[in-house]
Amino acid sequence: MKKIYAISASVLMASAMFTNAQQLPNSGFEEEWGDCTPWTFYQSEENYGQQSPFVNGTTPKSWVVSNVSGMVSYYDGAASGLGATVVGEKVEGYNSATAVKLTNSPNPFMASQIVPGYISTGTTWSTANPALQSDWSIQINNSDGGSFGGQAFTGRPVALEFMYKRSRGEDKPAEKSTVVAYLWKGHWTQKEVPAIIYMAGSPYCVDMVDRDRCVLGMGMEGCQGGEVTKTDDAELIAVINVEITEDASEWTKFHADFEYKSDATPEMINIVIAAGDYFGGASVVGKDNSLTVDDVKLIYAGETEADKYPGTLNIEMLGGNIAENQAADVEIAYDGDDKCTLTLPNFSLDLGSGVQSLGDIVVPNVAVSTVDNVAKYTGEVKGLQLMGGIIEADATVDGTIDSEGVANFKISVLWNNIPINVTFTGKGKPGKGTTAGIGGVAVEDESVAEYYNLQGVRVDASNLTPGYYVVRKGAKVSKILVR
């Protein structure tokens, strides 16, 4: 029987996919840190003439830490802020001199009020109405905040990554950390947003452009401000809105994929990284909960590590089987939630005079969809160059990967009008968009965390290898990444 040999390779032919790889400025926070001037209407010349803006703490260039100014007043040209709070600081970085540490911190004027620590590529803001009660206590009303705007941006990254450390205080240790990133075009405007922390009277209000909740299409119930309108071309293009729930005393890598909602070219980007629950409201903010962040970067198609599926090949050519159950790997690198690049490395044929390596079969822009918890993959490539361009062929891909990671692919190659039909069976990670279940596994002790791999098999918690795991503790189930 004639045989075919396939050798695993780890390098994808993806150089053409690195176009428009726009990155974030000052992604490692190593550039200059300058004065942090919390956004309030006090900085407007129309309200306070030539008064200097109120400065509270520092912030890295091109980013804004959510330090707050409190209630600002001026005396003889000098600004002071009652309740001004710093929530971000410069600390030693991941293999570098600088990172940013974000900490939910108590307001020095009202220790019961915890100011959330977060950083944004847009503009951070906050408002509240601390009203004096008849018993001389202070009640906080109409609190709100977040970020608005962002930075000009036209790239289409597939993911966001950074390094982080995470710790929780004793106040509310269950509070999650939040990562929000989004790309958009056009503009949303909200009328009459309070731009001041005020003790009495009506607040000074402004029209806020591209408030986070507006761009993301979130509900505005309980939020401050008025009517929201948008331009005709306004469109949310891609979004990440995920949480971090596990503490990390050592530097740990964060990775999340963008969910693309449109093929349009972005005009703006905003990234928010929060020590706590960014959209949870003031009542959930836990004192001393912190997140330290460094090396924030965008990942583009072809830069992500491929998922490898070890398995076997069967090949039919000219009416006969020339390979049967031969060891091979298929590699899949996702370019987003609905596209991937499929590679069959070092495709080889025994042509009678010896084994001939033809090169990598690489099929980019393979469409990914999910039906009944099974990921389906379909795509084609014309003019595939093999043997350094000596051979030109067409290839199509049609296959599935289920929630257990079982991969079945048919790769059809047309070479010089000769069809070569390749079938592959292997096993690796569950397919994109599928959910690996742990149903049917008994819980022996609800007070003890149990760890399962993505195939639903329970594993020893003291001997975890790198990868994703499902953790079950009592009625709570979560997913973690072990590096």
Side-chain angles (χ1 to χ4, degrees):
M1 179 183 294
K2 295 181 180 179
K3 296 184 178 181
I4 182 172
Y5 298 87
I7 302 173
S8 174
S10 61
V11 179
L12 298 177
M13 297 171 61
S15 59
M17 306 171 78
F18 289 95
T19 59
N20 206 17
Q22 188 176 354
Q23 275 299 339
L24 300 168
N26 197 16
S27 60
F29 310 115
E30 297 297 320
E31 296 181 27
E32 176 186 2
W33 284 50
D35 291 341
C36 182
T37 54
W39 179 82
T40 68
F41 90 95
Y42 296 102
Q43 297 175 36
S44 171
E45 290 187 5
E46 65 180 288
N47 290 289
Y48 272 79
Q50 300 298 319
Q51 299 281 11
S52 299
F54 179 73
V55 173
N56 191 32
T58 61
T59 192
K61 182 181 179 180
S62 302
W63 297 78
V64 182
V65 173
S66 60
N67 298 336
V68 299
S69 59
M71 291 180 289
V72 178
S73 62
Y74 287 90
Y75 182 75
D76 286 340
S80 62
L82 184 63
T85 310
V86 172
V87 296
E89 61 179 318
K90 182 191 297 187
V91 296
E92 184 177 355
Y94 170 71
N95 294 329
S96 66
T98 306
V100 58
K101 183 176 183 180
L102 307 164
T103 306
N104 297 345
S105 303
N107 182 317
F109 176 61
M110 293 183 61
S112 62
Q113 299 301 309
I114 310 302
V115 178
Y118 57 94
I119 193 168
S120 172
T121 54
T123 300
T124 63
W125 70 283
S126 63
T127 186
N129 174 207
L132 186 64
Q133 305 300 294
S134 59
D135 62 357
W136 298 102
S137 64
I138 295 179
Q139 177 178 316
I140 301 297
N141 302 309
N142 301 338
S143 62
D144 202 356
S147 69
F148 65 92
Q151 298 183 9
F153 189 85
T154 59
R156 288 178 62 91
V158 299
L160 174 71
E161 287 187 352
F162 57 80
M163 302 301 294
Y164 72 93
K165 294 181 180 180
R166 183 178 186 270
S167 66
R168 303 288 90 176
E170 297 180 357
D171 181 21
K172 296 176 181 176
E175 184 191 15
K176 65 184 180 183
S177 301
T178 314
V179 180
V180 182
Y182 49 100
L183 311 171
W184 76 96
K185 63 192 242 351
H187 298 289
W188 286 255
T189 300
Q190 185 180 18
K191 297 287 187 179
E192 298 295 308
V193 179
I196 175 178
I197 297 176
Y198 60 104
M199 180 66 78
S202 299
Y204 180 85
C205 295
V206 300
D207 292 349
M208 183 174 286
V209 178
D210 294 336
R211 179 177 177 176
D212 45 18
R213 285 180 173 270
C214 300
V215 179
L216 293 169
M218 300 179 66
M220 304 300 289
E221 183 178 356
C223 298
Q224 302 302 301
E227 178 188 11
V228 178
T229 60
K230 63 180 182 179
T231 58
D232 292 341
D233 63 339
E235 185 177 10
L236 175 62
I237 295 172
V239 63
I240 291 172
N241 187 359
V242 297
E243 60 189 51
I244 303 173
T245 58
E246 301 296 322
D247 287 349
S249 59
E250 301 297 329
W251 286 107
T252 304
K253 179 180 284 189
F254 168 89
H255 176 101
D257 293 336
F258 279 97
E259 176 189 355
Y260 272 86
K261 301 175 178 296
S262 167
D263 293 330
T265 299
E267 296 175 352
M268 300 289 290
I269 188 172
N270 189 24
I271 294 175
V272 180
I273 303 173
D277 187 347
Y278 182 67
F279 290 118
S283 64
V284 305
V285 181
K287 177 185 174 182
D288 296 334
N289 290 345
S290 73
L291 187 73
T292 304
V293 181
D294 200 4
D295 287 355
V296 185
K297 63 181 179 180
L298 298 168
I299 306 299
Y300 287 82
E303 296 180 333
T304 53
E305 183 177 352
D307 295 336
K308 184 178 295 184
Y309 294 82
T312 57
L313 285 176
N314 289 278
I315 299 181
E316 185 272 335
M317 179 178 177
L318 298 176
N321 292 328
I322 63 172
E324 187 174 0
N325 297 326
Q326 297 300 309
D329 290 340
V330 160
E331 298 175 355
I332 295 177
Y334 290 98
D335 307 333
D337 285 336
D338 58 356
K339 294 288 184 182
C340 72
T341 297
L342 183 143
T343 302
L344 177 60
N346 201 25
F347 185 67
S348 304
L349 288 175
D350 187 341
L351 301 178
S353 58
V355 176
Q356 177 65 60
S357 175
L358 304 185
D360 297 346
I361 294 179
V362 181
V363 185
N365 297 316
V366 174
V368 184
S369 60
T370 306
V371 179
D372 296 332
N373 209 30
V374 174
K376 297 178 66 66
Y377 301 77
T378 56
E380 64 178 353
V381 60
K382 300 289 188 180
L384 176 68
Q385 301 292 309
L386 300 173
M387 291 186 66
I390 297 176
I391 294 177
E392 184 173 296
D394 299 336
T396 61
V397 168
D398 187 6
T400 61
I401 304 176
D402 65 17
S403 60
E404 302 299 322
V406 176
N408 288 285
F409 283 95
K410 181 179 179 180
I411 304 171
S412 301
V413 179
L414 185 62
W415 168 38
N416 197 27
N417 292 322
I418 299 174
I420 304 173
N421 297 316
V422 181
T423 57
F424 172 85
T425 300
K427 190 169 184 179
K429 292 175 61 176
K432 193 78 167 181
T434 66
T435 303
I438 59 172
V441 181
V443 179
E444 299 175 0
D445 183 351
E446 291 189 350
S447 66
V448 177
E450 299 175 344
Y451 293 78
Y452 303 87
N453 61 25
L454 294 184
Q455 285 72 50
V457 178
R458 187 173 176 177
V459 294
D460 183 0
S462 64
N463 192 30
L464 299 179
T465 58
Y468 284 96
Y469 294 87
V470 176
V471 183
R472 183 173 183 174
K473 188 173 184 180
K476 182 179 180 182
V477 178
S478 61
K479 187 169 73 171
I480 66 169
L481 174 60
V482 175
R483 297 287 182 178

